[in-house]
Amino acid sequence: MFLQSRQREHRAARLGLVFALGACLGWLAWGEGRTALLALAMPMCLTLLSGRLAVYFFAAGYHLAVLRGAVVFIGGWFDTIWMGLLGWTVLGIVGALPWALSWWAQADRPWTRVASVLAGFLVSLLPFFAVLQGGHPLYGWGYALEGMGWVGIIIALAITGHFAWMPKVERMRVLAVLIPALLVVSFTQQRAEMRGAGPVHAVATHLGAPPSSDRETVDRYLKVGEIIKGVGRGLDEDGLILLFPETTLGAYDSSFRFNNRMLMASVEVSKIGVVIGREVTLDDGTRLNQALYLNPKGEEQIVNQSNPALLSMWAPWKKDRFTIDWARDNRLYLDGGTVARVLICYEEFLPFIFLRDEWRGGHDLVLAMSNAWPTDDMTLAGVQATHTEGMAKLFGRKVVRAENRPTKK
């Protein structure tokens, strides 16, 4: 009885250490002032573990550390820290599942270790697992294999598989050198310029929460119109397109048609195109998060978000839920011949959305529209931007990213 109790204690201690090591890797790989290059070592670390439970604990610690900023962000969104803690915990629990479910490695059969780690790598890229985790190793490979695209993914899988095949002692030696080296390089890597590309330039706003009343919505339209006219007065060139963040205009319905016409008039007078976020409610009560493109010719295009944020927007038990549809076309045909694909906020965390877009092709530019209004803490917002940067680097894409932050005090 005593021996069994001590064995349980030792096992719990080992799992606690494994969890802490995973959290340490996630913390080091994702944070301010560095790229996520170190994330590529995550599946390599898993090959040193024995057993599915240990793999799960390491992966859970890693994902929770990556998304550490979700506690205050989700808590700020729902106005309760308890909701933030709940959401963060769920992200970690579910995010670790694909690695554990894919794990069936046997110590005397190296090929099972290779198959397990590669299966975890691929399964964790797919929905629904991919909508509940952050920090996939592919983002790290994006910084290591810049511009290599689909070939880069094959190389990443080949290197990871080869590493998993090596004897354990060699794997430990390689990681002992690789992890410090990747961490140092991550502080010195050149970051992507995401403020402007081609005709598109991002507008960084401090507008805070989306408008919640008719009066606030009208004021927001007026504010955006002033920004457009102000930029127009300071320019002597045509063809500029301003990118605003997600849900800048708040909820739109027929009562705001006049305000929409006023916004279009500002665009036409200033000769500046605008891509801006709003929400709409359909006849059946469901809602859509949209990117609206207005050009100086008086034309408009709309892109609907494929995957809205869970719970805060996608809540299937509600009549007024936002809908998920991964088949939606997110292309915008901008003036001048540029074709852009749009990522709307939460979609920046989802590698399969970016991979879907690259598979479809036919675009020159990626537009990312982010909303970081719930908190002054920018930890999660920084991680979100790094996700987009890593994927864009992997495929050699230019990105323009607009972010809305809390109102300045």
Side-chain angles (χ1 to χ4, degrees):
M1 189 77 171
F2 175 75
L3 290 176
Q4 290 178 343
S5 176
R6 292 297 298 270
Q7 288 174 347
R8 285 196 295 269
E9 290 177 2
H10 288 159
R11 188 183 188 192
R14 287 195 299 269
L15 290 176
L17 177 60
V18 167
F19 180 88
L21 291 173
C24 183
L25 180 66
W27 192 288
L28 292 174
W30 297 83
E32 187 177 357
R34 55 192 180 276
T35 67
L37 181 64
L38 186 56
L40 66 84
M42 185 268 191
M44 299 180 181
C45 291
L46 294 180
T47 66
L48 299 178
L49 303 174
S50 57
R52 182 174 287 142
L53 191 59
V55 167
Y56 180 82
F57 269 73
F58 187 95
Y62 172 83
H63 290 302
L64 286 171
V66 172
L67 299 175
R68 56 194 179 274
V71 177
V72 292
F73 189 93
I74 297 174
W77 188 292
F78 289 100
D79 201 26
T80 168
I81 195 65
W82 296 111
M83 193 64 182
L85 286 168
L86 175 63
W88 176 64
T89 303
V90 171
L91 290 171
I93 290 173
V94 179
L97 279 177
W99 299 100
L101 293 175
S102 302
W103 202 263
W104 52 288
Q106 301 174 35
D108 58 340
R109 297 180 179 180
W111 69 269
T112 61
R113 188 169 55 246
V114 174
S116 295
V117 76
L118 295 185
F121 192 110
L122 294 172
V123 171
S124 57
L125 283 173
L126 304 175
F128 270 91
F129 291 124
V131 303
L132 284 165
Q133 68 165 287
H136 193 280
L138 187 58
Y139 298 109
W141 283 109
Y143 290 100
L145 302 172
E146 186 172 348
M148 301 194 72
W150 296 105
V151 173
I153 295 176
I154 295 172
I155 293 173
L157 291 170
I159 293 175
T160 304
H162 175 72
F163 179 89
W165 183 269
M166 294 163 54
K168 188 172 184 178
V169 173
E170 292 186 23
R171 281 179 275 136
M172 293 178 67
R173 288 173 179 169
V174 170
L175 284 178
V177 176
L178 184 65
I179 288 178
L182 292 178
L183 180 60
V184 171
V185 174
S186 73
F187 280 96
T188 61
Q189 277 190 307
Q190 184 175 0
R191 305 305 295 266
E193 172 56 64
M194 297 193 288
R195 289 178 295 182
V200 186
H201 290 261
V203 179
T205 62
H206 290 267
L207 298 172
S212 57
S213 67
D214 289 353
R215 179 68 262 175
E216 289 181 4
T217 302
V218 172
D219 290 342
R220 183 64 60 86
Y221 273 91
L222 293 173
K223 178 66 174 177
V224 170
E226 291 172 2
I227 293 173
I228 296 169
K229 292 176 182 177
V231 172
R233 285 193 294 267
L235 292 177
D236 296 323
E237 57 180 300
D238 297 337
L240 179 66
I241 299 171
L242 298 181
L243 176 69
F244 284 83
E246 178 211 33
T247 62
T248 297
L249 299 177
Y252 173 83
D253 59 37
S254 58
S255 63
F256 297 110
R257 285 176 183 169
F258 176 73
N259 302 93
N260 198 66
R261 287 196 295 270
M262 288 178 56
L263 188 62
M264 179 64 83
S266 299
V267 168
E268 292 173 354
V269 169
S270 302
K271 297 182 180 179
I272 294 174
V274 172
V275 179
I276 193 164
R278 71 178 187 185
E279 299 171 7
V280 299
T281 301
L282 304 180
D283 293 338
D284 63 359
T286 58
R287 303 169 71 184
L288 291 171
N289 198 8
Q290 296 183 327
L292 172 68
Y293 172 44
L294 305 175
N295 70 13
K297 302 175 185 176
E299 302 167 338
E300 68 175 52
Q301 295 177 51
I302 293 173
V303 162
N304 295 318
Q305 188 181 34
S306 296
N307 200 126
L310 308 183
L311 295 183
S312 61
M313 302 180 83
W314 181 76
W317 57 88
K318 293 182 179 179
K319 183 179 179 181
D320 62 344
R321 68 189 182 280
F322 289 76
T323 59
I324 289 178
D325 184 352
W326 297 317
R328 286 173 180 154
D329 188 352
N330 61 343
R331 282 175 296 183
L332 285 179
Y333 298 88
L334 307 178
D335 284 8
T338 299
V339 181
R341 289 198 180 273
V342 183
L343 298 175
I344 302 180
C345 205
Y346 189 75
E347 293 177 333
E348 291 189 90
F349 286 106
L350 314 181
F352 74 90
I353 294 288
F354 210 106
L355 293 174
R356 178 203 67 180
D357 292 347
E358 289 300 327
W359 184 261
R360 290 173 170 176
H363 61 288
D364 314 295
L365 186 64
V366 175
L367 307 182
M369 307 167 70
S370 175
N371 221 339
W373 64 264
T375 175
D376 289 316
D377 182 276
M378 290 293 109
T379 302
L380 189 66
V383 168
Q384 181 173 330
T386 304
H387 279 76
T388 295
E389 182 183 18
M391 292 299 286
K393 279 185 171 291
L394 178 62
F395 286 93
R397 292 292 182 189
K398 292 184 178 180
V399 177
V400 183
R401 187 174 188 273
E403 184 175 270
N404 175 46
R405 297 193 173 188
T407 53
K408 292 182 178 180
K409 299 178 180 179

